[in-house]
Amino acid sequence: MTFSNFPYKITGCAMAAVVLLSAAISCKKVPVGYISDQIRYVNDTFRVIRGTNWNSDPKAFELDGSNYPISVKMLEIRDLATGKAVDYFDKPNEVFVWTALFDPNSDTTVALLNKKRKMESVPPLKLLEKSGQLIFNEGTQKIPPGNYTFDVGVTNGSGTKTFRNISVIQLYELAFRQEGAPGCAYFIDGTTTSGDIGTPTMTYKKISDQGYQVRLKIVDKNGKPFNPKTGELIKRGDRPLFETYAKFHPVEYTDTTMVCNYELTPFPLKEYPGYGYLMYYRIPSQYVILDPGVAPTPASIYNVNPRFAFRLLVAGTFEVTIRIPKVTRKT
């Protein structure tokens, strides 16, 4: 600082005070950052299907003008109903972890699949330190469904702040989902003449948490299964069927079921162009008896054509049953 043009004459103690003030200002430490009290997640609740791989939006963590770089740490997770801390999200489980980008269009064999994943023991939840993003894996299958609130600590150059009850993790059950519009029609053999039979009902049962397997049964109105090994269930033209979606293993047939080991969730992985997830079958006329009044005549000339679609969202062994109304299997 110079004083040659200063309008007043400064001497003695006054000059010393000015010099000391100038030195103090020049040595004052510049703040290294700002951390807001309003840091938050855009989502007040993260809804996660229990037992699935799920990531929050990386932009869901809002810093409200806080300075980068930041470090975000999970501090505590509590059961929202009881307020008690839980350690479910910290306990490691054996799950598949991706090591490279998976492409469902080209990675269609187990050998190719296994080049891009490996089994590791990891916790079911990971919080990314640099972004606050939440990453869940199939290990959440071991956590009771419910609502869990959590606290995080955020650190940058200006210090650390704690944000209690910043959001809620809602773990809920949804292992199976019906897709599309199921239906069933009869066709007169060798023609395109058809009529509506009704809507098949679809049910599922989880047999085990182990594996990635679905056992599909198509049954008559009384629950008697049609036999896929003897031609009672056949492909319908060029339309997709169960085995269309079996990418990693061939479908196995028993006297009552079609079995697919699907390796990955969800199953099916991707839609079939023009049909979504629909599966189509034809049951030849010699294997069915229609209820009176369904078809124009009682003659055995009507084949039965069910269509249906579903997705399995979690690992396990499942039995899925499609029940066709107004139709009896001929024995």
Side-chain angles (χ1 to χ4, degrees):
M1 178 181 289
T2 62
F3 303 96
S4 58
N5 297 319
F6 202 82
Y8 301 101
K9 187 176 181 181
I10 303 176
T11 59
C13 292
M15 174 65 77
V18 170
V19 172
L20 289 173
L21 177 61
S22 175
I25 292 172
S26 65
C27 295
K28 186 175 181 180
K29 193 170 183 178
V30 177
V32 294
Y34 164 71
I35 185 166
S36 172
D37 291 326
Q38 304 301 318
I39 289 175
R40 69 188 188 98
Y41 282 101
V42 174
N43 311 71
D44 58 6
T45 301
F46 294 100
R47 300 185 72 246
V48 182
I49 299 173
R50 184 169 165 257
T52 61
N53 294 298
W54 189 86
N55 299 343
S56 68
D57 186 333
K59 297 180 180 179
F61 192 63
E62 289 197 343
L63 292 176
D64 188 43
S66 302
N67 293 114
Y68 286 98
I70 61 165
S71 172
V72 187
K73 302 284 188 183
M74 182 70 75
L75 301 180
E76 186 174 79
I77 303 178
R78 294 178 298 279
D79 187 310
L80 188 62
T82 66
K84 293 183 178 179
V86 298
D87 61 359
Y88 306 132
F89 295 87
D90 298 324
K91 292 182 177 179
N93 298 288
E94 293 287 328
V95 297
F96 280 114
V97 175
W98 293 110
T99 58
L101 186 63
F102 169 73
D103 185 349
N105 295 311
S106 57
D107 299 325
T108 56
T109 68
V110 175
L112 290 171
L113 177 63
N114 286 339
K115 286 182 178 180
K116 297 186 175 181
R117 66 178 184 174
K118 63 180 179 178
M119 187 71 75
E120 286 189 357
S121 181
V122 294
L125 170 61
K126 180 179 181 180
L127 186 149
L128 295 187
E129 181 181 357
K130 301 301 182 184
S131 67
Q133 184 181 18
L134 303 176
I135 298 178
F136 298 84
N137 61 52
E138 291 182 352
T140 55
Q141 183 67 46
K142 302 294 180 74
I143 301 176
N147 295 309
Y148 301 89
T149 187
F150 61 99
D151 310 334
V152 300
V154 181
T155 301
N156 67 7
S158 66
T160 299
K161 288 186 178 180
T162 297
F163 298 87
R164 284 183 55 82
N165 302 315
I166 194 168
S167 189
V168 171
I169 299 165
Q170 182 183 86
L171 280 183
Y172 68 100
E173 299 280 11
L174 185 61
F176 176 92
R177 185 164 61 206
Q178 180 175 306
E179 299 279 350
C184 190
Y186 68 78
F187 281 79
I188 297 176
D189 290 343
T191 77
T192 58
T193 303
S194 65
D196 182 61
I197 291 178
T199 303
T201 58
M202 188 183 309
T203 57
Y204 83 99
K205 177 172 64 175
K206 191 172 189 181
I207 298 170
S208 167
D209 287 336
Q210 306 305 310
Y212 295 81
Q213 185 184 92
V214 54
R215 305 168 186 174
L216 177 63
K217 298 170 107 177
I218 300 177
V219 304
D220 71 3
K221 69 176 187 179
N222 300 309
K224 292 182 179 179
F226 292 96
N227 188 335
K229 290 179 70 175
T230 59
E232 295 184 20
L233 294 166
I234 62 175
K235 184 177 175 65
R236 183 178 168 186
D238 61 353
R239 301 191 179 195
L241 66 166
F242 184 52
E243 65 183 30
T244 303
Y245 303 97
K247 296 299 183 184
F248 301 106
H249 300 278
V251 171
E252 300 174 10
Y253 298 94
T254 73
D255 292 340
T256 58
T257 59
M258 296 174 281
V259 181
C260 175
N261 289 290
Y262 53 91
E263 289 286 343
L264 290 177
T265 58
F267 171 81
L269 274 175
K270 53 183 294 189
E271 297 182 355
Y272 188 81
Y275 292 98
Y277 303 105
L278 282 168
M279 304 172 194
Y280 290 80
Y281 280 92
R282 174 161 288 161
I283 306 171
S285 57
Q286 64 265 35
Y287 300 115
V288 295
I289 301 171
L290 301 183
D291 283 0
V294 172
T297 73
S300 184
I301 58 172
Y302 303 98
N303 57 77
V304 172
N305 298 262
R307 73 172 186 269
F308 51 89
F310 64 88
R311 294 190 94 188
L312 292 169
L313 305 179
V314 302
T317 299
F318 295 87
E319 183 177 273
V320 176
T321 301
I322 312 299
R323 186 184 294 260
I324 303 173
K326 305 174 186 177
V327 173
T328 302
R329 178 175 177 258
K330 188 184 293 185
T331 56

